[in-house]
Amino acid sequence: MEVAIPDQPQVVLDKVKRFVAEELNPISFQVEKAGEIPEEIVEKMRRLGLFGLSIPRQYGGLGLSTVDEILVYEELTRTNACFRSRIGTSNSIGSMGILYDGTDDQKQRYLPRIACGEWTAAFALTEPDAGSDAANIKTTAVLDGDHWILNGTKQFITNGDCAHVFTTIAVTDEKKRARGGFTAFILENGFPGFTVGPPDEKMGMKGSHTNELVFRNCRVPRDNVIGGMEMVGQGFKTAMRVLDKGRLTMGACALGASQKLLEICVDHLKQLIASGRSKDELQAAQFILADMATEIYAARQGLHHAARLRDTGTNVTHEASMVKLFCTEMASRIADRAMDILGEAGYLKKYQIEMYLRDVRLYRIFEGTSEIQRMVISRNLLKE
Ligand SMILES: Cc1cc2nc3c(=O)[nH]c(=O)nc-3n(C[C@H](O)[C@H](O)[C@H](O)COP(=O)(O)OP(=O)(O)OC[C@H]3O[C@@H](n4cnc5c(N)ncnc54)[C@H](O)[C@@H]3O)c2cc1C
């Protein structure tokens, strides 16, 4: 499918703003209830180029810079977070391994189909015994002639049941493990021995599915090692590099939700004042509002600074962890305070505060929990 590539990032941003206001906001409740995004909306996302925001133009993506891409995410998370999640893995953790470390042939084979949204890309690292401690994965891959034979289970895989292609990591050398014994593979849904479980029942992100993936003597062509056979053993590095970008993205999503919550609270207080409540009486709520706005301002500066650094080619592992930690913890605080400001109204579904409260909690868990970000940051500060 052809995606019309606009010349200016601002054009993309304006289209996304309209899309959120006119197409996504009106169906947010419906999607929350159904637990699914309607296919016609996914099709519109494809036509807007949302599956290939950061994939370079030579592969059919929009080729946005990190700064421009996070601006799009900030807009997209001012509505139900599941919409961003549907395109998120294709733009980030699902495709970046191929873009960074893939062979030319792999880039040509997969990126154009991911960029136009024909194929959704996902990332499968987590296992029952390996979440934060990703180095503890048990899935194995053994070379057998022209194929690798994969055995193991991945869990909590976002877009697991709608993805056509997965970046997955398996142990290829039990002695070396994370130090040269893990390998990254490109796995297509349809390879023999690969099955996807039903969607998990979750607290939030209702319209975004996560699934278990099972590899039972799953046959993956020898050439589907990301980067080719010389990259056997380098999979852990690929996975960690992919996560740097993902962590900035999570910061942007948390920021977009926080901004929207602030606006809901501002509107609510303005309405109270318009209906006769004195400003003095509302001083406590006004102070909460001021703190929210101040935190959002600080978070935005940090996020945009880290994104600009990444665009200059600087390694942003340290900054990405600080951004993810600050923005995602802030979003939970702000959702909770928004509930304080709206009081009982905040507890009603129609104001959607409760939806944000549930959804933003996830940002503190995936792509590295807050504790893991603190470990990355402090390790970097204390290194010799
Ligand atoms: C909705 C959802 C979507 C997801 N999507 C994906 C996906 O697409 N692909 C994928 O691969 N994974 C995905 N995940 C998995 C996610 O990345 C993991 O859940 C996350 O890394 C945490 O791992 P865990 O759940 O095993 O928790 P654990 O690692 O068991 O952690 C439990 C608690 O212990 C803390 N903890 C752990 N280790 C330490 C330590 N050393 N020091 C201090 N505290 C520690 C953690 O911070 C956490 O609070 C998803 C998860 C969810 C919930």
Side-chain angles (χ1 to χ4, degrees), residues 118-185:
E118 180 192 346
W119 279 17
T120 292
F123 177 74
L125 174 63
T126 303
E127 299 185 2
D129 292 322
S132 300
D133 186 7
N136 202 33
I137 58 168
K138 302 273 191 295
T139 296
T140 55
V142 176
L143 191 58
D144 176 26
D146 284 344
H147 287 83
W148 291 90
I149 310 299
L150 267 64
N151 278 290
T153 301
K154 300 287 178 181
Q155 68 177 15
F156 295 134
I157 306 308
T158 302
N159 292 326
D161 57 4
C162 61
H164 301 75
V165 59
F166 298 83
T167 292
T168 195
I169 315 291
V171 183
T172 44
D173 185 333
E174 186 52 50
K175 284 202 186 104
K176 294 184 183 158
R177 295 196 55 82
R179 296 170 191 278
F182 290 178
T183 299
F185 294 91

Side-chain angles (χ1 to χ4, degrees), residues 4 112 116 150 154 174 248 260 280 294 329 337 341 373:
C116 72
L150 267 64
K154 300 287 178 181
E174 186 52 50
L248 287 183
K260 178 68 184 178
D280 289 349
T294 306
E329 296 271 331
R337 289 184 197 154
I341 289 187
Q373 306 313 322

